[in-house]
Amino acid sequence: ATAAGAIAALLRAHRLPMLHSPFACSLAAARSLGAHLPPRAPAAAAPLSSRLSLARLRSGASRGAPGSAVSSSAAEHEEPRKSELIFLGTGTSEGVPRVSCLTDPSKTCPVCIKAVEPGNRNRRRNTSILLRHVTPSRTSNILIDAGKFFYHSALEWFPAFGLREIDAVIITHSHADAIGGLDCLRDWTNNVQPSIPIYVAPRDYEVMKMTHHYLVDTSTVIPGAAVSTLQFNIMEEEPFTVQDLEVIPLPVWHGQGYRSLGFRFGDICYISDVSDIPDETYKLLEDCQLLILDALRPDRSSSTHFGLPRALEEVRKIKPKRTLFTGMMHLMDHEKVNDDLARLMETEGLDVQLSYDGLSIPVRL
């Protein structure tokens, strides 16, 4: 009862919604407190990070998130906000946990069972990142992909990180786990901002004409209907600029004959859906400092995604300073796999780990 009262008090102080079950309430509190964990902290450090986050909330210095009350004198002494990369999702199209595993009477899937625990890092929604690009003149929020679970990711992480506007969306490919949430952007264009620019390759734009025809051709929309107001910008496989940030497309194969795009932002290279990397793309990956790379499963690759063994081969070839894997299915246990990967630092000097939903990393763009 004491713990439940403390959680409820915290939710009220941080203006988080009270949910309808003790489990959901605990989950919201745990995730709120765990949103700013250090990027390389082991799971055992979570309680300390939670206490530090709680202290920041009580002192009113929670990064400008809703409910914070930073005095003008304290705000004047705050360090300038830095650019950051936020993982909104790190899972497959079906997500983790799988419903089929949770309803299996044999209950033999340890990762999915763990994934329903409050704050567990095996909980994964559709792969997506958000770049908070900070310049002296403004801050821009650049979203990479808006998949089927985008609403749920935004519901959790936008309030936690003090995010509101979406200044641009860049699409990697036209599968449902990358574009299935475009309809959810109506909340932004109806209530936050007039429109959102979408950057998409020609082949994927043709797909959107079928899957999201009412967003592409708004003349078919019934007057007064509340749909997303999107500005489609066709991008080729050439560098382009979004919100004063240079973006370099990284063409890759996502299954035989199917082209997907990764993207390079400064020294950050992001490749979320890949089964093979063309020779010409390796040149674009030179001197990469942070590589974010597809790694579906622990044992082998599939026809459309790198598995962990192939992903590690690519890391050895590309030689980034640091690598975070994404797009993991339910066979990838966060703690177990990261423990195994940590040994590669000792044996090969490879700095490789799994990412997780809600991970935030300061970056230089």
Side-chain angles (χ1 to χ4, degrees), residues 39-52:
R40 301 305 305 277
L48 174 60
S49 298
S50 297
R51 291 196 296 273
L52 292 175

Side-chain angles (χ1 to χ4, degrees), residues 117-130:
E117 298 172 356
N120 191 279
R121 293 179 182 177
N122 286 303
R123 177 64 181 265
R124 304 174 184 128
R125 299 188 179 104
N126 294 163
T127 299
S128 174
I129 60 171
L130 185 140

Side-chain angles (χ1 to χ4, degrees), residues 37 75 97 159:
L37 291 173

Side-chain angles (χ1 to χ4, degrees), residues 9-17 32 36 53-71 78 81 158-163:
L10 175 59
L11 290 174
R12 287 193 296 271
H14 199 41
R15 297 184 185 176
L16 291 174
S32 175
H36 311 300
S53 295
L54 180 57
R56 287 197 293 269
L57 289 176
R58 287 174 173 167
S59 66
S62 59
R63 308 174 53 183
S68 64
V70 183
S71 66
E78 284 185 351
R81 174 175 283 173
F158 271 53
F161 285 97
L163 302 168

Side-chain angles (χ1 to χ4, degrees), residues 6 25 28 45 62 164 181 196 212 219 244 247-248 254 273 284 326 340:
C25 180
S62 59
R164 181 166 170 81
I196 299 175
H212 294 79
S219 66
D244 298 326
V247 181
I248 301 174
H254 182 28
D273 294 79
L284 303 174
T326 192
D340 293 339

